[in-house]
mmCIF file of all heavy atoms in Angstrom:
data_model
loop_
_atom_site.group_PDB
_atom_site.id
_atom_site.type_symbol
_atom_site.label_atom_id
_atom_site.label_comp_id
_atom_site.label_asym_id
_atom_site.label_seq_id
_atom_site.Cartn_x
_atom_site.Cartn_y
_atom_site.Cartn_z
ATOM 1 N N ARG A 305 317.333 50.654 -154.766
ATOM 2 C CA ARG A 305 316.031 50.883 -154.082
ATOM 3 C C ARG A 305 315.744 49.740 -153.117
ATOM 4 O O ARG A 305 315.177 49.935 -152.042
ATOM 5 C CB ARG A 305 314.912 51.027 -155.118
ATOM 6 C CG ARG A 305 314.929 52.412 -155.803
ATOM 7 C CD ARG A 305 313.618 52.741 -156.485
ATOM 8 N NE ARG A 305 313.206 51.727 -157.426
ATOM 9 C CZ ARG A 305 312.074 51.023 -157.321
ATOM 10 N NH1 ARG A 305 311.236 51.230 -156.333
ATOM 11 N NH2 ARG A 305 311.771 50.109 -158.226
ATOM 12 N N THR A 306 316.148 48.551 -153.485
ATOM 13 C CA THR A 306 315.976 47.401 -152.578
ATOM 14 C C THR A 306 316.837 47.590 -151.326
ATOM 15 O O THR A 306 316.380 47.335 -150.202
ATOM 16 C CB THR A 306 316.361 46.087 -153.295
ATOM 17 O OG1 THR A 306 315.645 46.016 -154.525
ATOM 18 C CG2 THR A 306 316.038 44.871 -152.442
ATOM 19 N N ILE A 307 318.068 48.066 -151.537
ATOM 20 C CA ILE A 307 318.965 48.309 -150.387
ATOM 21 C C ILE A 307 318.297 49.310 -149.429
ATOM 22 O O ILE A 307 318.280 49.110 -148.212
ATOM 23 C CB ILE A 307 320.354 48.820 -150.860
ATOM 24 C CG1 ILE A 307 321.079 47.710 -151.625
ATOM 25 C CG2 ILE A 307 321.192 49.304 -149.683
ATOM 26 C CD1 ILE A 307 322.387 48.115 -152.287
ATOM 27 N N ASP A 308 317.715 50.381 -149.989
ATOM 28 C CA ASP A 308 317.039 51.386 -149.141
ATOM 29 C C ASP A 308 315.878 50.766 -148.367
ATOM 30 O O ASP A 308 315.666 51.055 -147.191
ATOM 31 C CB ASP A 308 316.495 52.537 -149.996
ATOM 32 C CG ASP A 308 317.638 53.449 -150.451
ATOM 33 O OD1 ASP A 308 318.749 53.299 -149.921
ATOM 34 O OD2 ASP A 308 317.403 54.282 -151.354
ATOM 35 N N LEU A 309 315.121 49.929 -149.075
ATOM 36 C CA LEU A 309 313.962 49.281 -148.457
ATOM 37 C C LEU A 309 314.401 48.394 -147.281
ATOM 38 O O LEU A 309 313.802 48.410 -146.193
ATOM 39 C CB LEU A 309 313.305 48.409 -149.532
ATOM 40 C CG LEU A 309 311.816 48.178 -149.514
ATOM 41 C CD1 LEU A 309 311.072 49.499 -149.526
ATOM 42 C CD2 LEU A 309 311.413 47.352 -150.761
ATOM 43 N N ILE A 310 315.472 47.651 -147.498
ATOM 44 C CA ILE A 310 316.004 46.787 -146.429
ATOM 45 C C ILE A 310 316.480 47.667 -145.264
ATOM 46 O O ILE A 310 316.199 47.392 -144.098
ATOM 47 C CB ILE A 310 317.167 45.896 -146.950
ATOM 48 C CG1 ILE A 310 316.668 44.947 -148.053
ATOM 49 C CG2 ILE A 310 317.790 45.089 -145.819
ATOM 50 C CD1 ILE A 310 317.767 44.159 -148.772
ATOM 51 N N GLY A 311 317.157 48.777 -145.631
ATOM 52 C CA GLY A 311 317.677 49.691 -144.605
ATOM 53 C C GLY A 311 316.579 50.213 -143.689
ATOM 54 O O GLY A 311 316.757 50.294 -142.472
ATOM 55 N N THR A 312 315.424 50.530 -144.261
ATOM 56 C CA THR A 312 314.306 51.051 -143.459
ATOM 57 C C THR A 312 313.877 50.015 -142.420
ATOM 58 O O THR A 312 313.610 50.354 -141.265
ATOM 59 C CB THR A 312 313.110 51.376 -144.393
ATOM 60 O OG1 THR A 312 313.605 52.190 -145.436
ATOM 61 C CG2 THR A 312 311.994 52.076 -143.658
ATOM 62 N N GLU A 313 313.830 48.746 -142.808
ATOM 63 C CA GLU A 313 313.444 47.689 -141.859
ATOM 64 C C GLU A 313 314.529 47.471 -140.807
ATOM 65 O O GLU A 313 314.229 47.275 -139.629
ATOM 66 C CB GLU A 313 313.173 46.369 -142.598
ATOM 67 C CG GLU A 313 311.967 46.412 -143.510
ATOM 68 C CD GLU A 313 310.685 46.844 -142.806
ATOM 69 O OE1 GLU A 313 310.514 46.548 -141.604
ATOM 70 O OE2 GLU A 313 309.842 47.495 -143.464
ATOM 71 N N LEU A 314 315.777 47.529 -141.250
ATOM 72 C CA LEU A 314 316.876 47.263 -140.310
ATOM 73 C C LEU A 314 316.983 48.352 -139.245
ATOM 74 O O LEU A 314 317.363 48.085 -138.111
ATOM 75 C CB LEU A 314 318.207 47.116 -141.059
ATOM 76 C CG LEU A 314 318.296 45.926 -142.022
ATOM 77 C CD1 LEU A 314 319.709 45.778 -142.574
ATOM 78 C CD2 LEU A 314 317.888 44.618 -141.335
ATOM 79 N N GLN A 315 316.616 49.575 -139.619
ATOM 80 C CA GLN A 315 316.677 50.671 -138.634
ATOM 81 C C GLN A 315 315.726 50.436 -137.467
ATOM 82 O O GLN A 315 315.966 50.884 -136.356
ATOM 83 C CB GLN A 315 316.324 51.984 -139.313
ATOM 84 C CG GLN A 315 317.552 52.681 -139.855
ATOM 85 C CD GLN A 315 317.204 53.856 -140.723
ATOM 86 O OE1 GLN A 315 316.078 54.361 -140.665
ATOM 87 N NE2 GLN A 315 318.138 54.284 -141.528
ATOM 88 N N LYS A 316 314.613 49.737 -137.737
ATOM 89 C CA LYS A 316 313.611 49.511 -136.685
ATOM 90 C C LYS A 316 313.883 48.242 -135.892
ATOM 91 O O LYS A 316 313.266 47.996 -134.864
ATOM 92 C CB LYS A 316 312.216 49.398 -137.334
ATOM 93 C CG LYS A 316 311.737 50.690 -137.975
ATOM 94 C CD LYS A 316 310.348 50.511 -138.568
ATOM 95 C CE LYS A 316 310.410 50.101 -140.018
ATOM 96 N NZ LYS A 316 309.162 49.907 -140.708
ATOM 97 N N ALA A 317 314.817 47.414 -136.387
ATOM 98 C CA ALA A 317 314.967 46.062 -135.826
ATOM 99 C C ALA A 317 315.662 46.053 -134.471
ATOM 100 O O ALA A 317 316.478 46.922 -134.156
ATOM 101 C CB ALA A 317 315.772 45.210 -136.805
ATOM 102 N N SER A 318 315.323 45.041 -133.645
ATOM 103 C CA SER A 318 316.049 44.792 -132.397
ATOM 104 C C SER A 318 316.936 43.560 -132.513
ATOM 105 O O SER A 318 317.868 43.377 -131.739
ATOM 106 C CB SER A 318 315.070 44.570 -131.246
ATOM 107 O OG SER A 318 314.369 45.752 -130.997
ATOM 108 N N LEU A 319 316.572 42.683 -133.458
ATOM 109 C CA LEU A 319 317.367 41.469 -133.683
ATOM 110 C C LEU A 319 317.422 41.233 -135.190
ATOM 111 O O LEU A 319 316.391 41.325 -135.878
ATOM 112 C CB LEU A 319 316.687 40.276 -132.989
ATOM 113 C CG LEU A 319 317.308 38.900 -133.188
ATOM 114 C CD1 LEU A 319 318.716 38.832 -132.589
ATOM 115 C CD2 LEU A 319 316.432 37.810 -132.541
ATOM 116 N N ILE A 320 318.628 40.959 -135.688
ATOM 117 C CA ILE A 320 318.784 40.687 -137.124
ATOM 118 C C ILE A 320 319.595 39.401 -137.296
ATOM 119 O O ILE A 320 320.659 39.244 -136.681
ATOM 120 C CB ILE A 320 319.523 41.840 -137.851
ATOM 121 C CG1 ILE A 320 318.824 43.186 -137.611
ATOM 122 C CG2 ILE A 320 319.624 41.553 -139.350
ATOM 123 C CD1 ILE A 320 319.631 44.403 -138.085
ATOM 124 N N PHE A 321 319.078 38.498 -138.092
ATOM 125 C CA PHE A 321 319.826 37.287 -138.448
ATOM 126 C C PHE A 321 320.052 37.315 -139.954
ATOM 127 O O PHE A 321 319.120 37.564 -140.716
ATOM 128 C CB PHE A 321 319.031 36.032 -138.053
ATOM 129 C CG PHE A 321 319.661 34.768 -138.557
ATOM 130 C CD1 PHE A 321 320.825 34.279 -137.980
ATOM 131 C CD2 PHE A 321 319.103 34.061 -139.622
ATOM 132 C CE1 PHE A 321 321.427 33.119 -138.452
ATOM 133 C CE2 PHE A 321 319.702 32.897 -140.098
ATOM 134 C CZ PHE A 321 320.864 32.427 -139.512
ATOM 135 N N TRP A 322 321.276 37.073 -140.367
ATOM 136 C CA TRP A 322 321.592 37.102 -141.807
ATOM 137 C C TRP A 322 322.276 35.821 -142.240
ATOM 138 O O TRP A 322 323.277 35.424 -141.666
ATOM 139 C CB TRP A 322 322.504 38.305 -142.119
ATOM 140 C CG TRP A 322 322.875 38.407 -143.581
ATOM 141 C CD1 TRP A 322 322.213 37.872 -144.644
ATOM 142 C CD2 TRP A 322 324.004 39.101 -144.138
ATOM 143 N NE1 TRP A 322 322.852 38.190 -145.830
ATOM 144 C CE2 TRP A 322 323.940 38.939 -145.541
ATOM 145 C CE3 TRP A 322 325.041 39.853 -143.590
ATOM 146 C CZ2 TRP A 322 324.892 39.499 -146.400
ATOM 147 C CZ3 TRP A 322 325.993 40.410 -144.451
ATOM 148 C CH2 TRP A 322 325.910 40.234 -145.834
ATOM 149 N N ASN A 323 321.731 35.154 -143.225
ATOM 150 C CA ASN A 323 322.387 33.996 -143.832
ATOM 151 C C ASN A 323 322.219 34.030 -145.346
ATOM 152 O O ASN A 323 321.102 34.011 -145.848
ATOM 153 C CB ASN A 323 321.801 32.695 -143.275
ATOM 154 C CG ASN A 323 322.549 31.481 -143.807
ATOM 155 O OD1 ASN A 323 322.516 31.194 -144.996
ATOM 156 N ND2 ASN A 323 323.244 30.790 -142.937
#
Side-chain angles (χ1 to χ4, degrees):
R305 284 198 305 119
T306 308
I307 293 173
D308 285 348
L309 211 56
I310 298 172
T312 309
E313 294 305 328
L314 296 187
Q315 269 170 18
K316 294 181 268 180
S318 294
L319 176 64
I320 305 170
F321 172 73
W322 180 22
N323 185 294

